[in-house]
Structures are given as C-alpha cells and as structure tokens.
Amino acid sequence: MKGILVLLWLCLQAIFTTGFSEDWTAQVVPEMKALVESCVVVPCTSNYPGKKESASRIRGIWHKKDNKKINIYHEDSTLISDNFKGRTKLPGHLGAPDHNCTLEIDEVKDHDNGPYCFRAELIEADKFSFVEKCVLFTMIQRPDPPEVQEPETLEEGVPTTLKCIVKHTCPSLPPLSPGVIKMVK
Ligand SMILES: *[C@@H]1O[C@H](CO)[C@@H](O)[C@H](O)[C@H]1NC(C)=O
C-alpha cells in the first residue's frame, strides 16, 4: 500500500513538474565514477520559468557545494577557480528548448571529487539557486577491466569475432579501439 502511494505521489510529482509548474528545476545525476586523467560528463537538464528564455539570458554556473564562491564552470572564465580553468565546459545547449546543463570536466584530478552543484541565473530577472542539485564523484585510478565476450565454440580455421566491452565516462575521448587480435594456436 505504501509502495502504491509513493508511486502515485511520484506520478503526480512528474505531472506537476513537467506540466504545470513554473518553478525552476534541474535534474543532475547525484553520484558518478570519475576516472583520474580522463574526462567525466555529468548529465544535467533544467527547466526555467517562462520556458522560452534564450541561452543569452541564462547564466549556468557550476560551483562547489560547500563554497558557492568557488566556481568550477562560469561563462566568464576569470570567475573560474584556478584549479578548473580551461578544464570545464557545458557541451550542451543551455537555452530553450534543450535546457541542457551537462557539465564536462577534462583531465580529471585526484581531488576533483566535489560535490559540485548546478546553479542557473536568469539575467535581469529573479535569480535562483539549485543548491540541492549536486553531483559527487568517486574517483577511480584505473578503469574497470574490459569484459570479453567469447563465442561458445571456436573452430580451427574459421574466423570469429570476439566482443570487447569497456565502460567509460568520457564521450569526447572514448577508449581507443584495441584493433585486431591475432590468435596463435
Ligand atoms: C546534453 O548535451 C550533451 C552534450 O552535447 C549530450 O550528450 C546529451 O545527450 C544532452 N542531453 C539531453 C537530455 O539532450
């Protein structure tokens, strides 16, 4: 019964946030793994009041949760903390209709774990902080080992395909293909 109520509440919540609400909202993945020396992309989308704001009127900022003055991304690069200068970008389109606040951090460092929060400001209008929409990274030093899917049977003299799968966090710099493996019997 409790489960059904929770589900109902979630559905109503979804209807209100997508349909009728004029409140500012943002959806940020709360926790992610980040591979040191690689890059990490944090999916983020937001909704603004008066939904038609163009990108030029919206300022998207990512800052440290425990110190709003430490920006890790800002459109004015002089306002970005030295540690993050030149390493962060918003690869998506912040304006309508996308409202994409996705954050990319390049050359991830050991101490980049966060948490970091997205904040949007509507220029010349109400300012609002999405202080609760933050992401925390678990730093990993080396990628998970690749998973190799072997075919059930291998036949001598018959070419076969082995599938090799790796998980990664950096779409702009995906792992290089290992190429052809030669098998010697
Ligand atoms: C946001 O932008 C990023 C980078 O261009 C893209 O990969 C992602 O799919 C976009 N997200 C949405 C919900 O459109």
Side-chain angles (χ1 to χ4, degrees):
M1 186 58 195
K2 203 175 164 207
I4 292 171
L5 281 178
V6 168
L7 196 66
L8 189 67
W9 182 80
L10 283 175
C11 289
L12 284 175
Q13 185 93 341
I15 291 167
F16 278 101
T17 49
T18 55
F20 312 118
S21 170
E22 286 290 288
D23 288 343
W24 296 51
T25 56
Q27 294 82 43
V28 176
V29 175
E31 273 177 64
M32 281 187 82
K33 280 185 184 172
L35 177 60
V36 173
E37 286 174 24
S38 183
C39 89
V40 66
V41 173
V42 185
C44 170
T45 51
S46 51
N47 296 306
Y48 302 95
K51 307 190 190 313
K52 291 190 191 75
E53 299 307 334
S54 70
S56 60
R57 294 195 59 215
I58 296 167
R59 183 182 287 150
I61 297 165
W62 282 83
H63 64 86
K64 268 199 157 172
K65 188 180 187 179
D66 55 11
N67 188 343
K68 275 192 202 170
K69 287 188 185 130
I70 301 184
N71 295 322
I72 67 160
Y73 175 84
H74 196 287
E75 61 183 19
D76 178 352
S77 62
T78 62
L79 298 175
I80 298 178
S81 150
D82 281 347
N83 277 337
F84 288 91
K85 257 186 198 139
R87 288 205 292 132
T88 51
K89 58 184 165 221
L90 300 190
H93 181 65
L94 194 57
D98 298 1
H99 292 159
N100 186 329
C101 42
T102 297
L103 171 74
E104 177 173 331
I105 306 177
D106 293 332
E107 292 160 56
V108 168
K109 297 190 192 335
D110 245 341
H111 50 264
D112 281 353
N113 48 309
Y116 305 113
C117 309
F118 174 68
R119 183 172 86 234
E121 293 175 355
L122 196 59
I123 297 164
E124 294 163 10
D126 280 352
K127 289 184 178 180
F128 189 88
S129 301
F130 299 120
V131 280
E132 73 283 14
K133 298 302 175 183
C134 308
V135 62
L136 179 67
F137 296 119
T138 304
M139 310 316 274
I140 50 173
Q141 299 297 330
R142 51 184 68 224
D144 293 336
E147 181 192 319
V148 178
Q149 289 180 350
E150 288 178 51
E152 306 243 310
T153 52
L154 284 175
E155 243 181 280
E156 200 179 334
V158 180
T160 189
T161 307
L162 297 179
K163 235 189 215 171
C164 177
I165 299 164
V166 279
K167 291 198 186 103
H168 68 98
T169 54
C170 185
S172 65
L173 203 71
L176 297 175
S177 157
V180 175
I181 305 166
K182 211 170 182 180
M183 290 180 81
V184 181
K185 200 167 182 249

